[in-house]
Structure formats: C-alpha cells, structure tokens
Amino acid sequence: MASAPRKRPAAEPRAGQKLSPRGELKRTQILDAAAEVLAVRGFAGTMLSEIAERAGTQAGSLYYHFASREDLIEEVLRRGVTLTMAHVRAALTELAPETSARDRLAAAIREHVRFQLDVSAYARASARSTGQVPAEMRARINREFRRYGVFLDELIMEAMADGAIDPGVDRSALRMLLIGAANWTTEWFRPDGTSNVDEIADLLVRLMLSGVAKPKPGRRLPKKSKVD
Amino acid sequence: MASAPRKRPAAEPRAGQKLSPRGELKRTQILDAAAEVLAVRGFAGTMLSEIAERAGTQAGSLYYHFASREDLIEEVLRRGVTLTMAHVRAALTELAPETSARDRLAAAIREHVRFQLDVSAYARASARSTGQVPAEMRARINREFRRYGVFLDELIMEAMADGAIDPGVDRSALRMLLIGAANWTTEWFRPDGTSNVDEIADLLVRLMLSGVAKPKPGRRLPKKSKVD
DNA sequence: AATTTATCCTAATCAGGATTAGGCTTCAAT
DNA sequence: ATTGAAGCCTAATCCTGATTAGGATAAATT
C-alpha cells in the first residue's frame, strides 16, 4: 500500500530566497494563466482546463502545485491586492518628498487605475472576481483588502489635514466609491484603442479632487498624469 | 406515445393584461427569489435549489415557468436594468419642470443609488452579477444597459450644455465611472445601520458635480437629497 | 360528475468539471 | 548506470447541480 508520499502540501515559496529551484517556474506560469482567466471569466467561469491550457499543462497537473482550485484562485486574488498596493506604494515613494498630500492621493489613484488596466492581470482578476467568491475565502482575502483600505484611508486623511479635501465627508464611503469606480473599469475598459487609460485615470482623479463642474476661470485643474 | 404537450415555452406574460391567472403569481415569486439570491451570491453561486427554497417550491418545478436556469437569470438581470431606468425616469418626471439640468442629473444619481440599495433586489442582482454572465446572455442584456446608458448620457449632455459640467470631459468615461461607483456599492454596503444610503447617494452626487475639495467659502454645495 | 388544463412534485438521469490514483519521465547526485 | 525525488501526464472517479420523465393535485370547464 502507501506508495511514496508524493505531492507537497502546495506551500508557497518560503519568505526566503528558495525561489525557482525548477518547477517554481511552472507554478508561476500557472498563477499567471489563472490570473488572466479570472480577469476575463470571473470566478464562476474559470475552469481549470483553461488555466492548464494557457499554462501549457494539464488540468490534473495543477494539483501538483496547488491543493485545490480554490487555493489557486485564492492566491491569485490575494496577489492582486498585494501587488496593487505594492505598486501604488512604490510610485508614491518616488515622488518628490515635498509633494503635497493632494498630489500624493492623485498619484495613488492614477497608479491604481494604471496598474489595473495596463499592467497586471492579477489586479484585474481580483477587481473582477473577488465579489463572487465563497464566504470563507472571501473573509481571508478581505484581510488584504482592509490593509489596502487603511493605506488609502491614510492618504485621504492627510489630504484632509492638508486642506485639500473637505474633512466633513465620510472617509470610508469616499474610499469605497473611489475603489468602486476604479475596479469597475475592468468591466468596460477596452484594451484596443477605444479607451485611454491615462484619460480615465485623470478623470477619476479629477472627480475625487475637484469634480467635473465647469472650471472657474481662475482655478487650476489637475493636469495630465506624470508620475515617473 | 407522446403524452400531452405539457409545459409552455415559458413565455413571458403577453404585453396584454393576462397577468396572474393563477400561477403567474408563483412565477413572480420565483423571479423575486432569484433576484435576491443573485444579489447576494452572484451568477456563479446561485443555485436553483436555493431559489426554489425561497420561493417555496422545488428546483425541478422551476422548469414549469422557465425554460432553463439561464433563462430565469437572464430575465432577472434584464429586469434589474429596466426597473432601475424606469424608477429613475419616473423620479425625474416628478421634478418641477424648471429644474436645472444639473439638479436633474443629481436626482438621477441619487435615485439610482437609492433604488439599488434600498429598494430592488433586481437592481442589486444586475449590478453584481451581470459581469459574470456567459457571453451570449451578456450580449442580450447589454442592449438594456446601452439603453440606460443613452438615457444617462443625455442627462450629462444637458448638464454640459447648461454649463454645469465641463464639456471637455469624456462623457462616456464619466458615465462609466459613475455607474461603476454606484454599482460597486452593492459590494460593500451594509444594510444594517452601519451604512447610510442617503449619505452615500449624496456623496456620489457631490463627487460628480463639485468634487470633495474643501468648499470655498463662497461656493454653495449641493445639499441633502430631497426629491419627492 | 367527468374531463380537461394548469401547476407542481418526486425521483431519476445527465453532464461537466474538479479531484485523485498511479504511473511515466527527467535530471541531478551518487 | 543507478537511483530517488521532483515534476508531470493520463485515465478514471466523484460530486454537484441542472435537467427531464412521468406522474399527482387542483382548479376550471363542460
């Protein structure tokens, strides 16, 4: 009986450096493939067979790297949030240190949208699929979300303290509306030339900060994005 | 062989008045139940068994009223859009005829959010589930969406013509960001006392029209909602 | 009352996709 | 050149949930 105890518990690569000793490569390919499928099909429509195909392997083989479909998906979604936060954070550190709270918030919004639309299938995946996920997984992922929420909340608070945002508004609602508008872009954005990422990002920034009321002649509007 | 040709093609009640001759009632109960399940579970998680349970019937029995799971769901989602548009439209007709374009748009936004959050599970269902639906169904539902989009677009155009909105902004992107923020509320809104519908609605209106910049002393902000 | 028709139920059947079993290949180290 | 773990494949198996078959039951009609 009992053949070899094959199949590791599908643990993530330790925090350490033991990155791709061989098959970690495929593991990554699988994650990437899953992110793309999730971004397009949503949690429901995502089939292991399609992920496997894109990763150049077989549905059954996925189980060597992940304990279950849910595990795989969870990791993708979690990464989506983590990566987004990391990206935005990194972008902010590159700003001149004297950058105003208002401009920092603006940059954050822009980078969030950009990252999602232009760069990362993981980000798109979690924007689109997180809502459809079973309760327990949802709860676990929410931890990451909350972390990102706190991060944004701080930016908003600083902008308030700085006089850029009316301190009277409900920070939480504001943040959620913002995130909503941003995440929803994945539903309608056309990667072909029809839509323009920067335009969308800038518009969202403008909505948050000055609104789209017809500009009073004297008042400067936030201009074209230029972060790096 | 061939027993009776039972089972109607699950047609909708004709345009006429033949409304609930008996079982149209249950049909409605089923739709209502489906709307609630969809609003919470999303397209993927929605099981006929749960719908049936809520409607006080059996999964198999649903097929007397609908040709398939997809048909049922499609009708719910379609209704979500239709009803929302109808509600918003109705609210606008009740405004004083001299109401400004700006205020009309504001009212529309408020009523959209309100209807979705406070009133209609159908609206919530289509806000949450439309994104996850198979391509063909999607295409059919999109027709309704486009109709609503045009409707909103007109409001925005009028507000532009009226000088309330900067004519320079991309109407389409603006509308999508708006709809996104609104629809996404279904992901985070807490029906318990934690969240406040009116506050959210007003905040979104404000975002669209004046932004959340700290108010210049002289400038009036849109005030508490009061449509009817 | 008898017959028809509309509604609905129960217990299968079916289908499709996740999961698992067990074995085959590398390849690095001995 | 062997050997053993790592990495992967194929072909079942399993499960779940949609769908269907074949009646009940109830209301309406004659």
Side-chain angles (χ1 to χ4, degrees):
Chain A
M1 55 231 77
S3 39
R6 267 173 298 91
K7 179 167 293 184
R8 60 177 172 190
E12 312 212 5
R14 324 296 125 60
Q17 219 43 27
K18 198 205 166 241
L19 265 178
S20 31
R22 214 70 36 195
E24 298 300 325
L25 171 66
K26 176 124 298 181
R27 184 186 156 89
T28 302
Q29 289 174 354
I30 294 174
L31 281 167
D32 288 356
E36 254 149 49
V37 177
L38 278 167
V40 171
R41 305 246 188 255
F43 178 80
T46 294
M47 282 181 302
L48 293 187
S49 52
E50 186 172 357
I51 295 176
E53 189 180 17
R54 290 208 194 199
T57 183
Q58 225 65 24
S61 306
L62 302 183
Y63 286 81
Y64 178 75
H65 299 278
F66 301 90
S68 69
R69 178 191 127 117
E70 291 214 343
D71 266 35
L72 166 54
I73 290 181
E74 179 171 338
E75 185 162 343
V76 171
L77 299 186
R78 175 174 280 131
R79 278 191 188 202
V81 195
T82 304
L83 291 176
T84 302
M85 176 153 76
H87 174 87
V88 172
R89 203 164 233 158
L92 291 191
T93 66
E94 287 184 16
L95 293 177
E98 70 277 16
T99 307
S100 71
R102 175 201 170 96
D103 288 349
R104 288 169 57 78
L105 177 57
I109 296 171
R110 264 195 287 267
E111 289 307 311
H112 177 112
V113 171
R114 272 226 198 113
F115 186 67
Q116 191 165 282
L117 259 30
D118 254 0
V119 182
S120 173
Y122 289 88
R124 285 191 290 282
S126 54
R128 275 205 80 190
S129 307
T130 305
Q132 332 170 15
V133 134
E136 303 103 55
M137 194 197 301
R138 182 67 177 275
R140 268 167 291 157
I141 298 178
N142 268 27
R143 244 172 276 150
E144 316 287 338
F145 267 110
R146 228 167 286 128
R147 206 162 288 153
Y148 187 44
V150 169
F151 170 66
L152 290 179
D153 198 46
E154 286 168 2
L155 288 176
I156 292 176
M157 253 188 305
E158 289 167 18
M160 282 180 171
D162 212 39
I165 289 189
D166 181 355
V169 313
D170 177 338
R171 289 204 312 276
S172 162
L174 180 61
R175 170 168 45 92
M176 286 317 215
L177 288 175
L178 168 65
I179 292 180
N183 282 353
W184 196 262
T185 57
T186 56
E187 300 281 346
W188 55 273
F189 180 77
R190 293 275 155 56
D192 58 38
T194 320
S195 308
N196 178 324
V197 175
D198 286 326
E199 194 177 342
I200 293 170
D202 286 334
L203 181 53
L204 184 51
V205 168
R206 182 171 168 185
L207 278 181
M208 285 293 291
L209 292 176
S210 29
V212 288
K214 196 160 179 180
K216 294 279 184 64
R219 195 125 165 284
R220 206 177 64 271
L221 285 175
K223 251 309 119 201
K224 281 281 126 189
S225 63
K226 204 75 228 202
V227 168
D228 40 13
Chain B
M1 50 228 89
S3 41
R6 267 174 296 92
K7 179 167 296 186
R8 59 177 173 188
E12 312 212 6
R14 324 296 129 57
Q17 220 42 30
K18 197 203 168 241
L19 266 179
S20 32
R22 213 68 36 198
E24 298 300 326
L25 170 67
K26 176 124 297 182
R27 183 186 156 92
T28 302
Q29 290 173 355
I30 293 173
L31 282 166
D32 288 355
E36 255 148 47
V37 177
L38 279 167
V40 172
R41 305 246 188 254
F43 178 79
T46 293
M47 282 180 302
L48 293 187
S49 52
E50 186 172 357
I51 295 176
E53 189 180 17
R54 290 209 194 198
T57 185
Q58 225 65 25
S61 306
L62 302 183
Y63 286 80
Y64 177 75
H65 299 278
F66 301 90
S68 69
R69 176 192 128 114
E70 291 214 345
D71 266 36
L72 166 54
I73 290 181
E74 180 171 338
E75 185 162 344
V76 170
L77 298 186
R78 176 173 278 134
R79 278 192 188 199
V81 195
T82 303
L83 291 175
T84 303
M85 177 153 75
H87 174 87
V88 172
R89 204 163 234 159
L92 291 191
T93 65
E94 286 184 17
L95 293 177
E98 70 276 17
T99 307
S100 71
R102 177 202 169 94
D103 289 349
R104 287 169 57 79
L105 177 58
I109 296 171
R110 264 197 286 269
E111 288 308 310
H112 177 111
V113 171
R114 272 225 197 114
F115 186 67
Q116 193 164 280
L117 259 29
D118 255 1
V119 182
S120 173
Y122 289 88
R124 284 192 291 281
S126 53
R128 276 205 79 192
S129 308
T130 305
Q132 331 171 14
V133 134
E136 303 103 52
M137 194 196 301
R138 183 68 176 278
R140 267 166 290 156
I141 296 179
N142 268 29
R143 243 172 277 150
E144 316 286 339
F145 267 111
R146 227 166 289 128
R147 206 163 288 156
Y148 187 45
V150 169
F151 170 66
L152 289 179
D153 198 47
E154 285 169 3
L155 288 176
I156 292 176
M157 253 189 304
E158 288 167 19
M160 282 179 171
D162 212 37
I165 288 188
D166 180 355
V169 312
D170 178 337
R171 288 204 311 276
S172 162
L174 180 61
R175 170 165 47 90
M176 286 318 216
L177 288 175
L178 168 65
I179 290 180
N183 282 354
W184 197 263
T185 57
T186 56
E187 300 279 346
W188 55 273
F189 180 76
R190 294 276 153 55
D192 59 40
T194 320
S195 308
N196 178 322
V197 175
D198 287 325
E199 196 177 340
I200 294 169
D202 286 332
L203 181 53
L204 184 51
V205 167
R206 183 170 165 186
L207 278 180
M208 285 294 290
L209 293 175
S210 29
V212 289
K214 194 159 179 180
K216 295 278 183 64
R219 196 121 166 285
R220 205 176 65 272
L221 286 174
K223 252 306 119 204
K224 282 279 126 188
S225 64
K226 203 74 227 199
V227 168
D228 39 13

